[in-house]
Amino acid sequence: MKIINVAIDGPAGAGKSTISRKAAAEMGYIYIDTGALYRTVGLNAMRQGADLDSDDSIIATLTDELKVELRFIDGEQRMFLNGDDVSADIRTPEASMAASRVSAVPRVREYLFDLQKNLAKNNSCVMDGRDIGTVVLPDADVKIFLTASPEARAERRYKELTEKGMDVKLEDVLADMIKRDYDDSHRAIAPLKQADDAILCDTSELNLEESIDLIINTIKSNI
Ligand code: DC
């Protein structure tokens, strides 16, 4: 059977992971969350006591002994660091910060490149991230750039956070969103940007179900 690769990129808060996971299940493909790889390398750097302000210190944690593995358990991606399941540990705010820092180091991106390539070579997948359609899988069968206006993304994130009982202000969430967009799209290496041949899917005016339908239909009509 032909291997099909779907690349989904887009800014923070566009609902990439939820939508990509559902779309992969519908298509019978695996879902690969590449942010989890950067988070695992970030967690490792934290645990090794790396100075996150120093590229050299981060690079020093990428030793031959380091084992970052992605395994599928009951169809769900789990992350292993040197044999330990760190799938929950990589979701803390500290690990998010560390992921963001290590992801700007070219050597880290090179380090994770082959792992991502090999997964896509051997499996039909929906892979989401920031540079999948532009750098990791430039020959993907379908490329989608999934976005929504900063206001729509901030509203969703605000709702999520307040439902968890967090005391946040919508204007602060929006300001954070705009800053992250700027940082992600202006970093020197693998910045967030729509590939020339990616299909733009804007979900500003759509609810989750409608967004999932849009992505599934886009994939089906382009493979
Ligand atoms: O999607 P996420 O929040 O789990 O990603 C964690 C960090 O990794 C985020 O700061 C962006 C970065 N990242 C990246 O640079 N390239 C990818 N393909 C995926 C994530």
Side-chain angles (χ1 to χ4, degrees), residues 54-175:
S54 150
D55 286 12
D56 286 346
S57 180
I58 291 168
I59 292 165
T61 65
L62 302 176
T63 61
D64 288 344
E65 285 88 65
L66 174 62
K67 256 177 77 186
V68 172
E69 286 170 283
L70 186 159
R71 295 187 206 156
F72 289 92
I73 300 178
D74 296 332
E76 275 295 308
Q77 171 178 333
R78 303 208 56 97
M79 293 308 306
F80 287 77
L81 176 59
N82 299 328
D84 291 334
D85 188 337
V86 293
S87 309
D89 304 339
I90 60 172
R91 298 292 159 193
T92 65
E94 294 74 24
S96 298
M97 282 303 293
S100 170
R101 260 304 290 134
V102 303
S103 72
V105 179
R107 181 71 195 92
V108 171
R109 304 200 75 87
E110 278 166 32
Y111 178 82
L112 294 175
F113 183 81
D114 289 345
L115 207 159
Q116 296 172 80
K117 275 286 237 219
N118 286 333
L119 281 164
K121 191 169 142 215
N122 298 316
N123 303 280
S124 285
C125 65
V126 174
M127 185 179 280
D128 84 4
R130 305 291 193 285
D131 63 337
I132 309 306
T134 47
V135 177
V136 180
L137 304 177
D139 300 323
D141 300 271
V142 186
K143 296 183 189 178
I144 292 173
F145 194 79
L146 183 66
T147 190
S149 67
E151 289 75 16
R153 289 183 284 124
E155 287 266 4
R156 291 174 197 164
R157 184 55 54 89
Y158 173 75
K159 196 159 163 266
E160 230 174 79
L161 296 173
T162 49
E163 276 170 5
K164 282 187 192 159
M166 291 173 75
D167 181 21
V168 287
K169 289 205 188 78
L170 178 59
E171 67 214 56
D172 293 341
V173 178
L174 177 60

Side-chain angles (χ1 to χ4, degrees), residues 6 46-47 69 99-100 104 213:
V6 179
M46 266 166 64
R47 289 189 174 171
E69 286 170 283
S100 170
D213 285 348

